[in-house]
Amino acid sequence: MSENLLPVPGAENPEKLTGLKQGPIKKVAAGIPAVVSALEMTVSEAGLQRGMKALFNLNKKGGFDCPSCAWPDPDDERSGIAEYCENGARAVAEEATTKKLTAEFFSQHSVHELGKLSDYEIGGKGRIAEPMFLPAGGTHYQPITWDAAFEKIGTQLNGLASPDEAVFYTSGRTSNEAAFLYQLFVREFGTNNLPDCSNMCHESSGTALGESLGIGKGSVTLNDFYQAEVIMILGQNPGTNHPRMLSALRKAKANGATIISINPLPETGLMGFNNPQTVAGVLGINPTLTDIFLQVKINGDLALIKAIELLLLKEEEKKTGGVFDQHFINQHTQGYADFLRDLKEYDAEQLAAQAGIPYAQVQEVASVLAGKSKIIACWAMGLTQHKNAVATIKEVVNLLLLKGSIGKPGAGTCPVRGHSNVQGDRTMGIFERPSARFLDSIEKNFHFSPPREHGYDVVECIKAMHAGEAKVFFAMGGNFLSATPDTRFTAEALQKCKLTVHVSTKLNRSHLVHGQEALILPCLGRTDKDMRNNENRFVSCENSMGVVQLSRGVLEPVSNELLSEPEIVCRVAKATLGSRSKVSWDKYIEDYDLIRTDIERTIPGFADYNERVRQPGGFYLPNCNRTGDFDTPTRKAHFHIAAPQMQELKAGELMMMTIRSHDQFNTTIYGLNDRYRGIYNERRVILMNAGDMQQRKLKNGDLVDLHNNYDGVERVAHKFVVVEYPIPEQCTATYFPETNVLVPITSVAEKSNTPTSKMVILTLKPHQGC
């Protein structure tokens, strides 16, 4: 095993910890502390003038789209103060930094030396300023010209025995234009190996919604929140991961909505929110958000929803049509009778106990829902990263179907996407299992025959690289190693490649665990101007609710050596395909409008793309569920039947879920604090129930090693600090990516193949070592 493999985050035995400090768990999110935190990082990274220029244009009509989460912007007037949140500002500060890494930096620091740093330290080094190459056997990255880099990629790709020996990964921040060109090149090259970050987060949502409702996207708009009677939030922490959602919830609550939060942790943002743009928020007046908090056990959601449905059914049986929307059920659904027959086999009290919720609380929720029909269900990775994730989300859909809560104002599905254009990437064709309809359109418009066999998703591509069946790995953004499961296994897989290529803005761990040869191709970010022929060009993105809008950077790039993602894709395509390509790549480099014109004629919903995307606020893509239609074979929504599958734990075992701290977004670590949870200056912590600690004779601050034994493999994460926390018995939480090393590559969700990062079985042992 190469020395560059170590240290793997979480698996190494650190000589020392940074020194945990604990404070009280915050009761309210945001407010003035969030403003101060955002401004401090912005000024320290980008300087006052550059930083404030970026923030002023962030999420504004005609400005640039936030490189952080995918929460939508208001359709009408946007805030004149700040149309962004604390973590959005910090994401911009990271990208707008004036620190840059040139050839001199890489000559002074070997790959092995950089690999010893934490992800936080690696990410803080600055923007990559020029293309870099690591030759076979090399110890240091060295500069390479763009032409030489493209030639090297083309040579390696063309030297493969089959196009299927290459993998082309995509992160969620890639623009529509770059994503469309990327999949077009990959398919003309001859493979559908297009794994993306959606495979690891909301693939379960897309699978469940597609099978139940006919479209793998949520159905609501932001304005639906303001008309909702009930908003259910399951397995989601918006205070950290989607902070602007809190403003929508505050407005919904002011309009009379009841907010029900279902989560193993009492997340601060769901409990209370001070909007710093209002007088009441600054003064801390009435910050409460959640009306009913159900502290469910990890993976207890399906049992809980069934318990609620049973109680609603009892009321419906007293007066048909009094609780369930029988007209909607009869006209727009199928499978209702079979669903009821199965549901009656369960006992509501037993289901509540299985979920870990007091029966009286389940009764309270059922009482609230009984007389309501405008219900929105929101969820995130707390639902999607379990073995039965697809079934759980289908159960949430079942509840909405019973109430007729789809296809009407104030009601519907809302899977809250994590990265800012992950939904747009899928719309553009970034998918390892493309539909025949999409491939037919590619063939018709570009006059080549795209491959029809399904490609690798994330888990499958890692296994293929590890087995030597995939030899070139190309990543369009992202930090693949830190984002993926089973970190040691994935690291070994990457090291077996002949070539690894990363299109990136900043240095990350994936650059340091590499193939025989490695390239880093530095690209423009969302904040950067993209100048050509004296024009600052724009790209476009799709948010969580299907709105496509333009994004135009405003800052001078830190280096003249940066290329846009569309140009990088086009030049890779030219170097690889040469004269055999049927696509005019040069025209796309010169004019992004021509990319959008070809998207328009290839993908439904993009009529008059160039005109509509220039309208302030952009435009909505068609969504059949939003209009009460269901694109299933029967043209009806489907009730689905599934049994709760609670994990049986052996003596001494615990269930672990990975979570984010407030000082991070995905794999990007902004700092070492998690102030909402009262955890400071340390990330190597395990949050535990007090009873579980007592049973194991552990106390706050003790050091433990975390062990997972699955499919005959021993996985260990060393030296974690025990922190007592209000979490259900036998449940624990740790930060991602430090404990990704414990997530088995072979433990995945049924149907979606998503890694089960929210249901890892642990045993704890006292830490042995330095």
Side-chain angles (χ1 to χ4, degrees), residues 701-718:
D702 282 351
L703 298 182
V704 294
D705 294 336
L706 317 182
H707 292 253
N708 166 261
N709 286 279
Y710 188 87
D711 58 16
V713 178
E714 170 80 1
R715 299 171 179 85
V716 185
H718 294 281

Side-chain angles (χ1 to χ4, degrees), residues 68-81:
S68 185
C69 82
W71 189 253
D73 305 311
D75 288 336
D76 44 22
E77 286 299 315
R78 301 186 184 178
S79 171
I81 303 174

Side-chain angles (χ1 to χ4, degrees), residues 579-702:
S579 60
R580 70 180 186 271
S581 178
K582 301 293 182 66
V583 179
S584 300
W585 300 102
D586 283 329
K587 72 177 185 180
Y588 295 141
I589 296 174
E590 293 298 321
D591 190 349
Y592 293 170
D593 275 0
L594 298 179
I595 307 174
R596 289 184 282 268
T597 295
D598 282 351
I599 292 173
E600 176 183 334
R601 65 193 182 102
T602 305
I603 302 175
F606 285 87
D608 301 318
Y609 193 177
N610 279 306
E611 179 182 346
R612 289 196 294 161
V613 78
R614 286 176 164 85
Q615 298 301 312
F619 62 94
Y620 279 93
L621 290 174
N623 186 306
C624 59
N625 292 174
R626 199 169 286 160
T627 57
D629 189 19
F630 304 100
D631 191 16
T632 63
T634 62
R635 307 307 299 181
K636 290 188 175 185
H638 294 187
F639 280 95
H640 283 269
I641 296 172
Q645 299 175 8
M646 298 298 291
Q647 180 72 45
E648 293 293 332
L649 298 177
K650 300 175 183 177
E653 289 184 338
L654 297 166
M655 181 79 77
M656 181 196 82
M657 62 179 184
T658 61
I659 59 175
R660 297 174 185 165
S661 79
H662 191 64
D663 267 5
Q664 74 177 103
F665 179 74
N666 290 348
T667 59
T668 303
I669 313 299
Y670 302 132
L672 301 178
N673 298 331
D674 193 356
R675 73 171 187 270
Y676 290 166
R677 298 188 180 110
I679 297 170
Y680 300 89
N681 203 43
E682 186 56 75
R683 291 183 52 83
R684 302 181 72 85
V685 298
I686 177 169
L687 309 186
M688 293 187 64
N689 174 276
D692 291 330
M693 290 171 57
Q694 185 176 13
Q695 187 180 54
R696 290 162 178 77
K697 296 182 173 56
L698 294 172
K699 62 182 184 299
N700 222 39
D702 282 351

Side-chain angles (χ1 to χ4, degrees), residues 62 77-78 99 116 181 202 387 466 568 608 644 698 720:
E77 286 299 315
R78 301 186 184 178
K99 294 182 290 187
K116 292 181 179 180
L181 295 180
H202 271 288
K387 284 194 175 182
H466 201 277
I568 290 173
D608 301 318
L698 294 172
F720 279 70

